[in-house]
Amino acid sequence: MTAPAPPAAGRSGRTQVAIVGGGPAGLMLGQLLHLAGIDSIVLERSTREHVIGRVRAGVLEQGTVDLMHAAGVGAHLARDGMPHRGIYLAFGGMRHHIDFASLTGGRGITIYGQNAVVHDLIEARLAAARPLLFGVRDVELHDVRGLAPRVTWHDADGARGEVRCDFVAGCDGFHGVCRPSIPVDAGTVYERAYPFAWLGILADAAPSADELVYSLHERGFALFSMRSASVTRLYLQVPPGEDVNAWGDERIWQELHRRLDTSDGWRPNEGPVSQKGVTAMRSFMFEPMRYGRLFLAGDAAHIVPPTGAKGLNLAMADVKRLAAAIVEFYATGRGAALDEYSPRALRRAWRAQRFSWWMTSTLHVAEDATPFDRRRQIADLEYLVSSEAAMKSLAENYVGISLD
Ligand code: FAD
Ligand code: DHB
C-alpha cells in the first residue's frame, strides 16, 4: 500500500498512524512502520535536546538489540554497546557472579544508554523524512472508538494542527494524555507504590568492574553500572520524594562506598558527577492496552520498578508486536493480530512486573523491615548464589523471556 503524503506541522492532513510521544516506543514504532511503507506522524511534547538528554535506562535485552538492528538503527549500538555476560550480586561484603551466558545457553545483555537509542532513532526518522514534531502542546484524541480517529494539537509556534488517521498509538509515557483519554470504566488499573526511590548519578570515571553490581547493604540498595569506558552510572536507594539537593557529591561517594565496596578490595572509581536525579519507584498496569483504534505501548500502559531493567525492553517488545499487527492489517485487511496485541503484550508485561517486584523486594531495605525480614532477605540471596536452579531463574528473566 502506498503511503499518503505526510501532513505539514500546524496544518490539517491525513496519515495512517498518529503516534503520540517521541520516546523509545514512539520513535521505534515510527521506524518499523516506515520500513513497511506505512506513514505516521510522531507528536512529541518536549524539545529534541530534552528527549535526547534524558538519562534513563542502560540495559538492553538481546531482543531489543536484535530489534535495533532489524530496524536499521544498530550501527552505533554495534560500535559502542558493551556486551555483558552476567552481573554481580553483592551482600555481606562479598560479590557473587551470576554468569548468564552459561546459565541461558549463551545469552547476555548489552549496556547502551537510552539517550543513545533515542538519538539513533531520531536520526533515522529525519533521514526517512517522515514527520516528527517536537514541542507540541495540548494533544487531544478524538473519535478513537470509530473508524476515523483524529488527533489535534498546537505546535511549538502556537499554530493548531490536526491529523486524521486509521490508528492512534499512545506512546506518551506514564504522564501522557492517551491513557487518561480512555473512559475510567473502560479499563482497570493495578498499582503498587514502593517506599523507596533511586538517586542516580553519572560520573566521569572509568568503570572499575566489567559488569553491573547489584548490592544489598543494611543501609539500603546500591547499583554500579556504566555507560562507556570512561563513564560510570551509579544508583542509591533513598526515601521517596528525596530532595536531590540534599545530596552533595561528597555525601554520595561516601554512601556509595559504604554500600558497594566489597572485602575483595573492589570499589567504584570516583570522578566528577555530570548528572544527578531522583526517580520514584512504582508498579502500574493498565488493562486492556487498547480502546477502539487507540493502542497503548510502553510506559503509557505499564511501569515497572527499575531494579530488573525491564521498562525500556518492554516498551520495545510492545511496539515490535504493535507494528507487526498494523502491518498485517494493511496487508490483509484483517484485524486478528491487532485483537491479539493487548492480551499478548500484557502477558509479557506481567511477567516482567513479577520479576521487577521480586528484584526490588529482594534487594531493597524497607524502613519498617523487621530483623526477620532482613534475615530472610539474606537467606534468599544465599540460596540464589548457591543454587543453579535459582541462578537460572534469575538469569532467564534478566536476559529477557521470549513470549512470542
Ligand atoms: P517515555 O520514555 O516516557 O517516552 C514518552 C514520550 O512521550 C516522552 O518523550 C514524553 O515527552 C512524551 N509525551 C508525554 N506526554 C506527551 C503529550 N501529552 N504529548 C506528546 N508527547 C508526550 N528500562 C530498562 O529497560 N532498562 C533499564 O536499565 C532501565 N533503567 C531505568 C533507570 C531509570 C532511572 C529510569 C527513570 C527508568 C529506567 N528504565 C529502564 C525504564 C525506561 O526508561 C522506560 O520504561 C522507557 O523510557 C519507556 O519508554 P516509552 O517510550 O514508553 O516512554
Ligand atoms: C541501569 C538501570 C537499571 O534500572 C538497572 O537495573 C541496571 C542498570 C543503568 O541505568 O545502567
Side-chain angles (χ1 to χ4, degrees):
M1 177 173 278
T2 9
R11 304 246 183 82
S12 293
R14 180 172 160 72
T15 188
Q16 289 170 293
V17 184
I19 301 174
V20 185
L27 291 165
M28 177 57 88
L29 179 62
Q31 174 67 1
L32 295 172
L33 294 176
H34 163 67
L35 294 177
I38 295 170
D39 191 45
S40 65
I41 183 168
V42 179
L43 301 167
E44 167 56 47
R45 184 177 54 187
S46 302
T47 61
R48 179 179 173 175
E49 295 67 34
H50 183 259
V51 175
I52 294 179
R54 220 161 23 194
V55 180
R56 294 170 93 184
V59 175
L60 307 190
E61 294 175 0
Q62 190 58 46
T64 302
V65 172
D66 293 345
L67 186 63
M68 291 282 287
H69 288 297
V73 290
H76 294 160
L77 170 61
R79 188 190 62 199
D80 300 333
M82 305 167 89
H84 284 190
R85 59 178 287 140
I87 55 167
Y88 293 93
L89 286 181
F91 57 96
M94 307 268 285
R95 270 193 303 160
H96 306 262
H97 191 242
I98 313 276
D99 192 74
F100 296 157
S102 63
L103 291 160
T104 62
R107 296 167 72 201
I109 49 155
T110 299
I111 302 300
Y112 190 67
Q114 178 168 326
N115 44 347
V117 170
V118 167
H119 170 271
D120 298 346
L121 286 164
I122 289 176
E123 296 280 293
R125 184 80 187 175
L126 298 178
R130 304 260 189 199
L132 162 58
L133 275 55
F134 290 102
V136 303
R137 286 174 287 115
D138 315 324
V139 170
E140 284 181 33
L141 316 187
H142 310 271
D143 306 327
V144 292
R145 285 292 285 171
L147 295 180
R150 285 178 303 120
V151 179
T152 55
W153 68 90
H154 286 104
D155 70 19
D157 304 323
R160 188 172 183 279
E162 171 169 341
V163 71
R164 285 169 289 115
C165 56
D166 298 326
F167 300 104
V168 179
C171 301
D172 50 348
F174 185 67
H175 299 288
V177 291
C178 290
R179 193 186 62 249
S181 306
I182 300 174
V184 279
D185 58 0
T188 306
V189 168
Y190 300 87
E191 209 170 1
R192 185 188 208 285
Y194 295 84
F196 331 114
W198 277 13
L199 170 72
I201 65 161
L202 276 181
D204 295 326
S208 59
D210 51 349
E211 287 172 348
L212 275 52
V213 183
Y214 285 82
S215 175
L216 172 67
H217 186 273
E218 60 192 23
R219 297 178 63 87
F221 171 74
L223 171 61
F224 164 90
S225 180
M226 62 198 72
R227 285 293 178 273
S228 69
S230 57
V231 176
T232 300
R233 175 88 166 135
L234 296 143
Y235 296 100
L236 282 172
Q237 175 191 339
V238 293
E242 185 77 338
D243 178 8
V244 72
N245 297 315
W247 288 83
D249 294 0
E250 203 175 312
R251 181 177 175 206
I252 292 176
W253 288 114
Q254 187 184 41
E255 196 59 31
L256 282 166
H257 286 306
R258 278 177 170 157
R259 299 189 196 178
L260 281 170
D261 295 5
T262 43
S263 54
D264 56 2
W266 178 77
R267 63 202 314 267
N269 288 333
E270 292 189 23
V273 175
S274 62
Q275 192 270 348
K276 223 187 268 191
V278 171
T279 307
M281 294 175 80
R282 62 164 72 83
S283 289
F284 179 94
M285 299 285 287
F286 183 86
E287 296 188 2
M289 289 168 64
R290 174 182 191 171
Y291 180 67
R293 291 212 158 200
L294 165 65
F295 292 84
L296 301 178
D299 279 14
H302 40 67
I303 296 281
V304 293
T307 325
K310 289 285 167 239
L312 171 63
N313 294 297
L314 273 180
M316 291 300 201
D318 284 352
V319 294
K320 179 183 172 201
R321 194 183 297 285
L322 182 56
I326 292 173
V327 169
E328 184 180 302
F329 174 83
Y330 282 116
T332 66
R334 285 199 301 270
L338 287 169
D339 293 342
E340 286 280 291
Y341 169 71
S342 172
R344 286 179 162 230
L346 283 168
R347 200 162 142 247
R348 171 186 276 272
W350 272 112
R351 183 79 82 90
Q353 196 67 265
R354 182 209 70 81
F355 176 66
S356 307
W357 166 83
W358 174 79
M359 283 282 280
T360 302
S361 8
T362 304
L363 290 166
H364 289 70
V365 179
E367 209 164 64
D368 61 354
T370 63
F372 175 88
D373 296 330
R374 310 287 291 278
R375 293 300 293 262
R376 190 200 44 75
Q377 261 180 320
I378 297 296
D380 224 344
L381 289 168
E382 277 174 351
Y383 167 59
L384 189 58
V385 299
S386 59
S387 154
E388 183 163 336
M391 278 191 274
K392 255 192 173 148
S393 169
L394 167 67
E396 72 175 11
N397 279 284
Y398 197 101
V399 301
I401 28 145
S402 141
L403 275 183
D404 287 330

